[in-house]
Amino acid sequence: MPMTALKLLLVTLAATCAEELLADREDESAAFKDGVCTQNVQDLCSNTYSFTNAEAPQDQGVLSRVRLLKRQDASVFVPGRVYAVYDGLLDEVLKWLEELEGQNSQGNLLGWSDEALRFMDEALKDDPLSAFEVYAPSKPDDLPQDIKTYLIHAPGFRSQAKDLKSRPPVLKGGGRRLFTAASGDDGSPVEADSAHDRRQASIFPSGNPYGPNDDRVQVLYPNNLYWAWSTLGSTGNRASRWCSGTMISPTVLLTAAHCVATIGTMNNPGGVNWLIQPQICIRDVQRSTPTAASPSVMDCESNDGILATWTRMTTFVKWARDSDRDWDIGWITLSSPVGYTSGWKGIRTADYSPGTIINVAGYGGDCPAGGDCSDNLKTMGCAIEPDPSCISTSSHPNRYYYECDTIGGMSGSGAYVYYPNSEPPDNRFVIGVHAYGFDCSGQNRAIRIRPSILEAMCANTDDMLCYSGSAAGAQPTCQ
């Protein structure tokens, strides 16, 4: 390489590394200050932005996987059963996941014939990124019901991705903010619903949600109308909490696998247990902090949220068959391109170092008795912690540990890095999926989105655009 080109590369790398070091905590008003307004309500903005995909090629590794996927026999499916998410189920899931911590044993795959077991073993051997996918049932109210679960695999595919990224949206139009963001109530602390809620809250140090040890900040209307709060979605309803998610393309909502399918249930004779999303609301938020006296119960659209329905849910075989919690990632394909209105976030797969500031925002179910929990959006930023010594070394590259305060309902939140000195939408990138608290370390954690995982997701969707770190226009990173 010529010396001039080498110097230019080193200068670019140094500048990019300096930018990496500027990753910061995002407060509730940061998006408002960016001024990317997604909907003009009551003269909120003089103009609004919409979003579109970049005019850029798809990554060649992704295209290679797509070609192999198109050769698959679409009739290949395994048993499955779809269930409604009912009030109180989240508490059961949290307790169950907590009990599983530290257990690495695989189920016995009860009820499966030798032929079926050989079939699945060969599928994973041929393609470690194999996934299960289910389509929305024709009679969603007739639950539970048997449903076909399709196997998505690309025989012979071996991922070569090292620094894969997905593209954020391109802005269209223009907006200008006209007044300051709405403020909440007096902020006085309230008690959690129960001792179980306090135990699951993962507040550092332990304390009551909304209490003095809870450092999360509530995001209130109309902040949700500004990118990137507009990319967040709840999958609960107005009666019970469930999970959180982040738009990562015009039609795809990223979430945790345990929010869409029960771990290891391919072991059951009935096949994979899929969980119907009660209600998907993108750009969901409260107008004021809910209290028992003022529960602030409204439907999704009353707060200018975008009500969405789904067409398919997808997660990895390593989650649904092998109970591998380092694959606790799922994605929901929506029936309409909500992201053209809400926007979405890009994804980065670099292995971010301890000390990097990570942000976790989601719909925690910790409002007081009588309050509406499902759209209770809260956020917090904190440093990525060193990997605890109590976990297997093989898991270290797959997780981000942190002490950001979280609680049940925030599972599925897209853990992201925020660069306040960059222009939107190139200043917030998802790097993991928040999924757990209370393991041996006592810390919360996200599942890191590794390059191969993003490669599989891009190949499985119709409108995610990915590129490698060596693509034209790509910038080097510090990782």
Side-chain angles (χ1 to χ4, degrees), residues 150-174:
Y150 292 91
L151 175 67
I152 309 300
H153 70 306
F157 181 81
R158 289 295 179 268
S159 175
Q160 301 297 318
K162 293 182 179 179
D163 185 21
L164 199 64
K165 307 169 184 178
S166 75
R167 295 187 184 275
V170 174
L171 299 181
K172 296 176 63 178

Side-chain angles (χ1 to χ4, degrees), residues 39 41 221 224-225 281-284 287 299-306:
Q39 181 172 336
V41 179
Y221 183 91
N224 61 311
L225 301 182
C281 184
I282 309 301
R283 207 172 62 181
D284 201 6
R287 289 179 182 258
D299 61 32
C300 169
E301 293 163 309
S302 294
N303 295 330
D304 295 312
I306 305 170

Side-chain angles (χ1 to χ4, degrees), residues 83 85 235 242-243 259-260 275-280 310 313 332:
Y83 294 84
V85 174
T235 58
W242 185 234
C243 282
C259 297
V260 299
L275 303 168
I276 285 282
Q277 307 305 297
Q279 174 180 275
I280 299 173
W310 63 279
M313 297 188 291
I332 303 170

Side-chain angles (χ1 to χ4, degrees), residues 410-455:
M410 295 180 71
S411 286
S413 303
Y416 66 97
V417 287
Y418 165 56
Y419 301 119
N421 292 337
S422 298
E423 291 292 321
D426 295 309
N427 57 356
R428 296 168 178 86
F429 298 103
V430 175
I431 64 173
V433 177
H434 173 71
Y436 295 95
F438 287 112
D439 66 359
C440 61
S441 70
Q443 297 171 328
N444 294 324
R445 75 175 187 263
I447 307 304
R448 177 187 161 212
I449 301 177
R450 287 90 76 188
S452 59
I453 286 180
L454 180 57
E455 190 172 44

Side-chain angles (χ1 to χ4, degrees), residues 167-461:
R167 295 187 184 275
V170 174
L171 299 181
K172 296 176 63 178
R176 178 173 61 88
R177 63 185 186 275
L178 295 180
F179 59 81
T180 58
S183 60
D185 61 8
D186 62 5
S188 57
V190 296
E191 293 295 322
D193 290 349
S194 65
H196 177 70
D197 271 343
R198 290 193 293 272
R199 177 171 55 84
Q200 293 289 355
S202 302
I203 303 296
F204 293 93
S206 60
N208 294 335
Y210 290 104
N213 294 322
D214 182 356
D215 293 322
R216 293 173 301 160
V217 176
Q218 187 167 21
V219 180
L220 294 170
Y221 183 91
N223 286 293
N224 61 311
L225 301 182
Y226 290 89
W227 189 92
W229 297 129
S230 61
T231 67
L232 303 184
S234 65
T235 58
N237 57 29
R238 294 314 182 259
S240 64
R241 53 187 174 147
W242 185 234
C243 282
S244 303
T246 303
M247 294 297 296
I248 55 172
S249 87
T251 61
V252 178
L253 182 73
L254 175 71
T255 190
H258 71 255
C259 297
V260 299
T262 310
I263 187 172
T265 48
M266 188 184 161
N267 305 355
N268 298 339
V272 180
N273 289 354
W274 295 94
L275 303 168
I276 285 282
Q277 307 305 297
Q279 174 180 275
I280 299 173
C281 184
I282 309 301
R283 207 172 62 181
D284 201 6
V285 80
Q286 289 273 12
R287 289 179 182 258
S288 62
T289 301
T291 65
S294 178
S296 185
V297 177
M298 300 182 187
D299 61 32
C300 169
E301 293 163 309
S302 294
N303 295 330
D304 295 312
I306 305 170
L307 192 61
T309 57
W310 63 279
T311 58
R312 67 181 189 263
M313 297 188 291
T314 314
T315 191
F316 291 101
V317 170
K318 286 184 178 292
W319 166 262
R321 186 191 103 146
D322 296 345
S323 303
D324 190 334
R325 288 178 294 284
D326 287 337
W327 293 77
D328 193 350
I329 293 176
W331 56 102
I332 303 170
T333 303
L334 306 181
S335 56
S336 60
V338 170
Y340 289 142
T341 300
S342 68
W344 63 90
K345 289 191 182 89
I347 295 174
R348 296 292 181 264
T349 60
D351 189 0
Y352 288 82
S353 303
T356 303
I357 300 299
I358 195 170
N359 291 270
V360 182
Y363 299 89
D366 58 342
C367 60
D372 173 13
C373 293
S374 58
D375 57 355
N376 183 33
L377 178 59
K378 284 192 151 190
T379 184
M380 181 179 172
C382 62
I384 295 175
E385 299 289 335
D387 292 332
S389 59
C390 61
I391 67 169
S392 167
T393 55
S394 62
S395 293
H396 285 208
N398 304 331
R399 306 173 182 179
Y400 289 121
Y401 284 86
Y402 42 79
E403 295 187 355
C404 294
D405 297 333
T406 66
I407 196 170
M410 295 180 71
S411 286
S413 303
Y416 66 97
V417 287
Y418 165 56
Y419 301 119
N421 292 337
S422 298
E423 291 292 321
D426 295 309
N427 57 356
R428 296 168 178 86
F429 298 103
V430 175
I431 64 173
V433 177
H434 173 71
Y436 295 95
F438 287 112
D439 66 359
C440 61
S441 70
Q443 297 171 328
N444 294 324
R445 75 175 187 263
I447 307 304
R448 177 187 161 212
I449 301 177
R450 287 90 76 188
S452 59
I453 286 180
L454 180 57
E455 190 172 44
M457 293 172 63
C458 281
N460 178 255
T461 58

